[in-house]
């Protein structure tokens, strides 16, 4: 039976055909289409369609550009990651032989390795518990359930009981102690910053009772005191020229100044070079002497002590000391010596360091942040309010009478500068710090050199504290000065700071991930350290973009500082090791010439600083070039303690991820990556 015709559909179809006649053209009318064209007015606005078309085209181009940028970023990150992996692989392969041949490993490294094994075992245990679902419904040791528990469940239930009742309470107590120490040290930083702001607000600074004029031709030479300038150095191949030149162009009467070049080099080529440089300046009329010790004991302290024992030293009133990489300005003595006039109890005038290579790499930028805070805040505040601070060992002027009064240079520690400063303070002498007088110097550009420097700087104060503790108690200074020396100068800033920073962020924080019953608040992990980092970076405002790397790197350096502090406190062998910080000679002799011409120094205008071909040191220079070509090749190293701590923190971050602890996870992750980067020596100078 046929289906009845649908008249409604037929009517609808006819209406649509009449309405859109041009869309329903029969094939037989094709020829007519080409001979007559019917134009219909569009219903839509052409401007709107054009605008829509243009916007769509622009959107497509924007999307293509974004995709191209994303692809370029991914390719850049991939290439960088592959390059880092290749570099790490090369360094691991090249360092494996040296690591195997080294039999004597530090006690701290052994402890860190044991800690790493424990953390890995705990992580494996926690992963099993997580996939079993025991984090949400942990097994208990109730009598009703013990019989149905499996072996692994029974072990995990006992572990929960042990960690809750026996391990977490002492860990929480240690955490609370470190938090209190952390807060005390933070308060100390805030007080120092407030003191610095007060100095800036009130414009407080030392005032000299007299000044030397820039033009010294018309003045009486007798008005200038006798000054002895000492340049201690040891195998300073790269920087000896610039330091000697900077001292020799001082705007000071030549007959009122004597320069001692105290060379402790054991390299004969370097000795010949320094001798030739001294002879060059002697021929130009400078009073300069070369001294070399046959018995090199006591490192820098022994070198300075030997120089001060010369008979002619009694004719001089002041002694200025510059390390081999320091280049004082021509007016250095004119800016510092006047402060001694009328201040008979003044022993030391310390000036600020300025760094010629602070922007060389990330490591030098981070060092600049630390040292800017040290000079701008610590040294300035202590100098203004209590007239005492630690001598920085260089870029300072001492009254020779004060040195003799406190016993002179002693060889008992590796921080002879701090030693003599503490003894002078106990004898009642005062110090002045000049923040606006700067002396150019270099920062170590490799992590190896920086780490050795920091080890010496943090082990020496503990040696000194152990030796002079009873001397401080028996001294005749006020109780307030004794308390400042013992509680603030030594304990808080030299002992407590490296102790809590290493213990809190490298030991306690990973442990709290595996012992969740012990809590470490998020404000201790993130907020307070962030605020302290901001305060530390204020004296170097250009370094604000590096605030996060600075915070992470300071925590990374805590392992070196903690190890050095323990070595110095308990007299381990490494605490007495003195290694000269490697310099690269970034500031050349040409820089000194340009600086001198800019300052229009008449002394420099009268004599050229450029080396001529007739100088007696030309043969030594040729020998130096040959020695540089055949010298020992530098290479980057691996640092085992930092690598072990990197794996500990990354393991703890995985455990933190299982517990969904956001701030703790991110901190552990980025801190672990920072330890890994430092352990692979990917920070600082890179040797291809």
């Amino acid at each position: 039976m046929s289906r009845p015709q649908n008249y409604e559909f037929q009517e609808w179809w006819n209406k649509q055909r009449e309405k859109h006649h041009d869309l329903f053209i029969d094939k037989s009318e094709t020829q007519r289409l080409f001979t007559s064209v019917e134009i219909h007015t569009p219903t839509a606005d052409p401007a709107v369609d054009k605008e829509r078309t243009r916007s769509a085209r622009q959107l497509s181009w924007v999307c293509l550009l974004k995709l191209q940028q994303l692809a370029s970023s991914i390719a850049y990150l991939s290439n960088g990651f592959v390059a880092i992996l290749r570099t790490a692989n090369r360094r691991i392969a090249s360092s494996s032989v040296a690591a195997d041949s080294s039999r004597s490993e530090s006690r701290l490294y052994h402890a860190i390795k044991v800690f790493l094994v424990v953390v890995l075992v705990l992580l494996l245990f926690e992963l099993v518990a997580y996939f079993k679902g025991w984090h949400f419904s942990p097994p208990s040791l109730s009598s009703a359930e013990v019989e149905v528990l499996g072996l692994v469940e029974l072990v995990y239930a006992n572990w929960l009981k042990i960690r809750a009742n026996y391990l977490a309470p002492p860990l929480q107590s240690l955490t609370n102690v470190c938090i209190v120490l952390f807060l005390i040290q933070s308060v100390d930083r805030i007080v120092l910053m407030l003191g610095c702001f007060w100095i800036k607000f009130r414009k407080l600074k030392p005032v000299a009772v007299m000044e030397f004029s820039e033009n010294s031709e018309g003045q009486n030479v007798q008005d200038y005191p006798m000054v002895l300038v000492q340049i201690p150095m040891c195998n300073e191949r790269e920087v000896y020229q610039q330091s000697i030149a900077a001292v020799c162009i001082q705007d000071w009467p030549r007959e009122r100044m004597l320069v001692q070049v105290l060379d402790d080099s054991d390299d004969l080529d370097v000795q010949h070079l320094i001798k030739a440089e001294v002879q060059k300046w002697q021929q130009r009329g400078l009073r300069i002497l070369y001294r070399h010790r046959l018995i090199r004991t006591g490192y820098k302290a022994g070198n300075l002590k030997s120089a001060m024992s010369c008979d002619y030293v009694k004719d001089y009133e002041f002694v200025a000391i510059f390390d081999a990489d320091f280049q004082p300005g021509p007016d250095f003595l004119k800016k510092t010596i006047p402060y001694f006039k009328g201040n008979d109890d003044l022993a030391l005038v310390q000036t600020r360091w300025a760094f010629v290579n602070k922007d060389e790499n990330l490591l030098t930028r981070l060092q600049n942040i630390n040292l800017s805070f040290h000079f701008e805040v610590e040294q300035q505040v202590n100098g203004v309010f209590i007239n005492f601070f630690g001598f920085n060992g260089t870029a300072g002027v001492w009254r020779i009478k004060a040195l003799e009064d406190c016993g002179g240079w002693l060889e008992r520690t590796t921080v002879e500068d701090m030693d003599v400063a503490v003894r002078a303070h106990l004898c009642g002498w005062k110090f002045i710090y000049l923040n606006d007088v700067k002396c150019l110097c270099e920062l170590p550009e490799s992590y190896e050199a920086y780490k050795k420097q920091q080890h010496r700087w943090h082990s020496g104060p503990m040696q000194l504290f152990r030796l002079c503790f009873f001397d401080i108690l028996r001294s005749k200074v006020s109780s307030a000065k004794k308390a400042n020396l013992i509680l603030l100068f030594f304990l808080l800033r030299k002992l407590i700071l490296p102790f809590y920073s290493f213990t809190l962020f490298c030991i306690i924080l990973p442990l709290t991930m595996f012992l969740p019953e012990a809590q470490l608040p998020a404000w201790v992990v993130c907020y307070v350290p962030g605020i302290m980092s901001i305060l530390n970076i204020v004296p170097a405002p250009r370094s604000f973009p590096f605030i996060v790397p600075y915070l992470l790197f300071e925590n990374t350096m805590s392992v070196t500082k903690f190890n050095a502090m323990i070595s110095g406190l308990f007299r381990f062998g490494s605490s007495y090791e003195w290694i000269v910080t490697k310099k690269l000679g970034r500031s050349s002799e040409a820089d000194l010439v340009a600086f001198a011409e800019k300052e229009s120094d008449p002394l420099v205008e009268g004599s050229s600083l450029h080396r001529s071909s007739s100088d007696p040191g030309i043969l030594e220079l040729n020998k130096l070039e040959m020695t540089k070509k055949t010298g020992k090749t530098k290479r980057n190293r691996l640092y085992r303690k930092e690598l072990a701590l990197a794996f500990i923190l990354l393991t703890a971050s995985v455990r933190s991820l299982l517990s969904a602890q956001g701030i703790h996870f991110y901190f552990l992750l980025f801190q672990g990556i920072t330890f890994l980067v430092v352990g692979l020596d990917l920070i600082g100078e890179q040797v291809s």
Side-chain angles (χ1 to χ4, degrees), residues 513-561:
M513 298 298 103
F514 298 97
L515 305 176
E517 292 82 3
Q519 296 291 328
L520 186 60
W523 58 268
V524 177
V525 176
C526 181
Y527 303 129
V528 176
I531 295 174
M532 291 301 105
S533 298
I534 293 175
L535 292 180
N536 286 354
I537 217 168
V538 166
R542 289 181 54 199
S543 302
F544 264 101
F546 303 96
I547 185 170
V548 174
Y550 170 73
L551 172 61
L552 297 174
F553 181 70
E554 281 301 294
N555 291 333
T556 305
M557 285 303 301
S558 65
V559 59
T560 298
K561 297 176 181 179

Side-chain angles (χ1 to χ4, degrees), residues 409-636:
W409 300 103
L410 298 182
E411 307 169 11
R412 56 182 182 173
T413 69
T414 57
V415 284
E416 73 294 327
D417 44 10
M418 184 182 296
D419 187 1
V420 71
V422 170
R423 286 185 282 113
H425 180 59
L426 296 178
C427 292
W429 292 94
K430 296 181 179 180
F431 303 162
I432 282 180
Y433 171 73
L434 302 179
N435 192 57
D436 54 350
V437 180
K438 299 179 180 180
C439 190
L440 295 177
C441 64
E442 282 190 29
L443 291 166
E445 297 182 12
S446 67
Y447 180 70
E448 180 182 9
Y450 179 64
K451 183 176 182 179
K452 292 177 180 178
Q453 181 194 68
Q454 292 299 306
H455 187 278
R456 176 166 54 88
W457 284 5
H458 286 82
S459 64
M462 289 298 97
Q463 302 172 16
L464 180 60
F465 178 64
R466 191 184 65 252
L467 293 172
C468 70
F469 176 73
F470 292 105
D471 294 335
I472 296 174
L473 296 179
R474 290 192 297 262
S475 64
K476 298 180 181 180
V477 298
S478 64
S479 300
K481 292 183 177 180
K482 293 179 182 179
N484 174 70
L485 271 175
I486 295 175
L487 299 179
L488 293 180
F489 187 76
F490 281 113
L491 289 182
L492 182 61
R493 297 167 188 165
K494 301 298 188 297
L495 189 148
I496 291 177
L497 177 59
F499 170 77
Y500 87 75
S501 58
F502 173 74
T503 307
L504 195 62
F505 298 110
C506 299
I507 302 298
I508 293 178
L509 179 58
L511 278 179
T512 55
M513 298 298 103
F514 298 97
L515 305 176
E517 292 82 3
Q519 296 291 328
L520 186 60
W523 58 268
V524 177
V525 176
C526 181
Y527 303 129
V528 176
I531 295 174
M532 291 301 105
S533 298
I534 293 175
L535 292 180
N536 286 354
I537 217 168
V538 166
R542 289 181 54 199
S543 302
F544 264 101
F546 303 96
I547 185 170
V548 174
Y550 170 73
L551 172 61
L552 297 174
F553 181 70
E554 281 301 294
N555 291 333
T556 305
M557 285 303 301
S558 65
V559 59
T560 298
K561 297 176 181 179
F562 177 81
N563 187 30
M565 182 267 293
I566 295 297
S567 300
L569 192 62
F570 296 102
R571 294 190 291 183
F572 294 152
S574 61
S575 63
Y576 294 95
E577 183 181 13
W578 178 290
I579 298 177
V580 178
T581 305
K582 185 67 176 176
K583 293 101 177 176
L584 300 179
R586 289 295 181 186
S587 181
S588 65
E589 195 172 1
D591 298 328
L592 291 172
V593 175
F595 178 79
E597 291 176 352
K598 182 180 178 180
E599 296 294 327
S600 299
D601 191 339
L603 178 62
V604 182
E605 292 176 0
S607 61
S608 174
L609 295 180
H610 294 285
R611 185 180 299 274
S612 63
S613 59
S614 59
D615 283 338
I618 190 66
L619 296 178
E620 283 77 8
L621 283 175
N622 294 333
K623 185 184 295 184
L624 172 61
E625 296 300 325
M626 294 299 296
T627 307
K628 283 184 177 180
K629 294 178 181 178
T630 59
K632 184 179 179 180
T633 304
K634 297 187 298 182
R635 64 184 180 90
N636 293 97

Side-chain angles (χ1 to χ4, degrees), residues 214 249-252 328-337 437-438 595 599 601:
E214 296 182 1
I249 64 174
Q250 284 295 306
D251 187 10
W252 200 260
D331 56 353
F332 181 88
L333 294 179
K334 283 190 172 181
K335 288 184 176 180
T336 54
I337 297 297
V437 180
K438 299 179 180 180
F595 178 79
E599 296 294 327
D601 191 339

Side-chain angles (χ1 to χ4, degrees), residues 305-322:
K305 181 179 179 180
S306 174
M308 294 299 293
S309 64
C310 297
D311 294 335
Y312 53 80
V313 173
K314 65 180 182 296
D315 299 329
Y316 294 85
E317 187 176 358
F318 305 105
V319 55
I321 303 173
F322 301 100

